[in-house]
Amino acid sequence: MTSLRHTLSDLTQMRSLSLDRKILMTEQRIRAWYEHYDGLVYVSFSGGKDSTVLKYIVDSLYGDVPSVFVNTGLEFPEIRRFALKQKNVVRLDPKMKFYDVIDRYGYPVVSKEQSQYISEARSTKSEKLRAIRLYGKGEDHRGKISERWKFLLNAPFKISNKCCEIMKKSPAERYEKATERKAILGTLAEESRLRLSSWLRFGCNAFEKSRPTSQPLSFWTEQDILRFISENNLQIASVYGEIKKRDNGEFFTTGRNRTGCMFCMYGCHQEPSPNRFEQMKTTHPKQYEYCMNTLKLKEVLDYMNVPH
């Protein structure tokens, strides 16, 4: 069994630290990453609020670190405009359009993990792998399609986790190969089980990974991000609206809370109404019409019983 660098109790303790302490720890990790690679590093800059905080901190430490924006065509228009007008931003473009990705490979639904499992169960010629995807492996049934989503095995459309790999990861890897730079990502461990698992195994600076990456904000919370933006008067993309504070001291955005890819369906089944697509119908009707009818997301969401 692979040894872990951290435990869940470590994360709980680090999350409980003051924001000032977290900032210092993040700066230490960025410096260690920068020095280890002799400055050949870059910020993975999505234009979202997390990566905006990361870019601000890195820029305050070093003036020679480029920020790389992957122009997938899936971003909110406000995010794209905001990202491309920032200083020292390199734009990358994927080789495939989203329409072609879903046509060839399938739709991103539920989560990266579940999409992968469903895709493999439907396409593999290995009876062993199919059995693992259907029933799991070991006493904890690892690698198993959730019972809730097994009906998607019979969906009349393709399902795949290839989207992020083709639209985001591949352009970044080509950039890394051409420049020899290593990525600094603005991801939080609390955002997904996969990100938490990676942090527990490798820590913030994953020097040992096959594709080394730094995640120096991993132990921050959503509230830390919003507070940092508020206290430092950072400009963020207009799609978020304003950052305000409730009577109980909790920060919130008056617009979108999360952005990401507009047409991605990962996690949308967990969102209260109005979910991302219901909101899109009001705030971005042109994009809504395109994804529902041209990309045929309406059929996918209807099949999954997700309102839109």
Side-chain angles (χ1 to χ4, degrees):
M1 181 177 178
T2 304
S3 61
L4 301 179
R5 178 164 295 181
H6 291 297
T7 64
L8 288 173
S9 62
D10 292 334
L11 184 59
T12 299
Q13 182 181 17
M14 293 170 76
R15 282 176 174 166
S16 70
L17 297 171
S18 69
L19 181 56
D20 287 343
R21 179 61 181 149
K22 290 179 180 177
I23 294 169
L24 289 174
M25 292 171 67
T26 291
E27 290 175 344
Q28 289 169 356
R29 283 152 177 75
I30 293 169
R31 288 192 181 97
W33 193 255
Y34 183 94
E35 292 169 6
H36 183 84
Y37 292 108
D38 296 323
L40 283 176
V41 301
Y42 74 94
V43 172
S44 179
F45 182 55
S46 69
K49 61 183 187 302
D50 298 350
S51 65
T52 296
V53 168
L54 175 64
K55 176 173 171 55
Y56 178 86
I57 296 174
V58 173
D59 286 349
S60 71
L61 296 174
Y62 302 104
D64 61 343
V65 176
S67 296
V68 172
F69 174 75
V70 181
N71 184 48
T72 65
L74 303 174
E75 302 81 18
F76 282 88
E78 298 93 332
I79 290 284
R80 182 179 184 275
R81 288 194 296 268
F82 173 78
L84 292 177
K85 76 177 184 180
Q86 304 307 306
K87 67 176 184 178
N88 199 19
V89 171
V90 177
R91 169 180 160 174
L92 305 180
D93 294 290
K95 291 184 176 181
M96 291 181 70
K97 302 295 185 183
F98 182 63
Y99 183 92
D100 297 319
V101 173
I102 59 176
D103 182 62
R104 180 179 297 183
Y105 299 104
Y107 291 91
V109 299
V110 187
S111 68
K112 288 182 183 179
E113 187 178 72
Q114 290 294 306
S115 290
Q116 176 187 342
Y117 294 170
I118 293 167
S119 175
E120 290 174 346
R122 295 173 82 174
S123 63
T124 186
K125 294 180 180 179
S126 167
E127 290 301 321
K128 180 179 179 181
L129 178 58
R130 179 172 171 80
I132 291 173
R133 295 299 175 242
L134 292 177
Y135 310 112
K137 182 179 181 180
E139 294 182 0
D140 54 358
H141 303 289
R142 297 185 307 277
K144 175 180 177 291
I145 300 169
S146 168
E147 291 297 323
R148 177 181 179 183
W149 300 113
K150 278 190 175 178
F151 75 93
L152 290 173
L153 289 167
N154 300 313
F157 48 81
K158 297 177 185 176
I159 293 172
S160 170
N161 65 323
K162 293 285 188 182
C163 183
C164 288
E165 178 183 332
I166 294 169
M167 304 293 290
K168 291 184 176 181
K169 187 177 178 180
S170 291
E173 288 181 337
R174 290 193 293 271
Y175 174 82
E176 291 170 13
K177 184 176 180 179
T179 63
E180 298 185 350
R181 292 182 180 272
K182 305 299 183 184
I184 309 174
L185 311 175
T187 56
L188 312 183
E190 70 176 22
E191 291 175 320
S192 73
R193 187 169 68 175
L194 289 176
R195 288 175 177 174
L196 173 60
S197 176
S198 178
W199 182 82
L200 292 173
R201 182 178 176 187
F202 297 106
C204 293
N205 286 347
F207 296 108
E208 301 88 359
K209 287 176 68 175
S210 56
R211 180 196 172 204
T213 55
S214 173
Q215 293 85 216
L217 299 177
S218 289
F219 50 90
W220 287 40
T221 66
E222 178 80 1
Q223 283 297 299
D224 293 328
I225 295 292
L226 295 176
R227 179 182 166 191
F228 186 94
I229 293 169
S230 178
E231 292 184 354
N232 289 278
N233 295 312
L234 297 193
Q235 182 185 7
I236 55 176
S238 60
V239 71
Y240 290 112
E242 299 178 80
I243 294 179
K244 293 186 177 290
K245 199 174 184 180
R246 295 191 172 93
D247 293 339
N248 64 0
E250 182 182 64
F251 291 92
F252 68 98
T253 56
T254 59
R256 293 277 180 155
N257 180 47
R258 306 296 301 175
T259 51
C261 297
M262 290 190 77
F263 310 147
C264 181
M265 290 175 280
Y266 287 155
C268 66
H269 59 282
Q270 297 177 320
E271 296 173 351
S273 185
N275 63 30
R276 70 189 72 170
F277 295 107
E278 292 173 304
Q279 292 179 53
M280 191 195 304
K281 185 176 183 179
T282 301
T283 62
H284 297 79
K286 181 179 177 181
Q287 287 81 2
Y288 176 84
E289 182 70 18
Y290 176 75
C291 75
M292 288 298 148
N293 297 317
T294 303
L295 299 179
K296 300 181 180 179
L297 263 63
K298 179 182 184 299
E299 298 174 16
V300 179
L301 293 169
D302 283 344
Y303 192 85
M304 296 173 61
N305 198 30
V306 175
H308 52 79

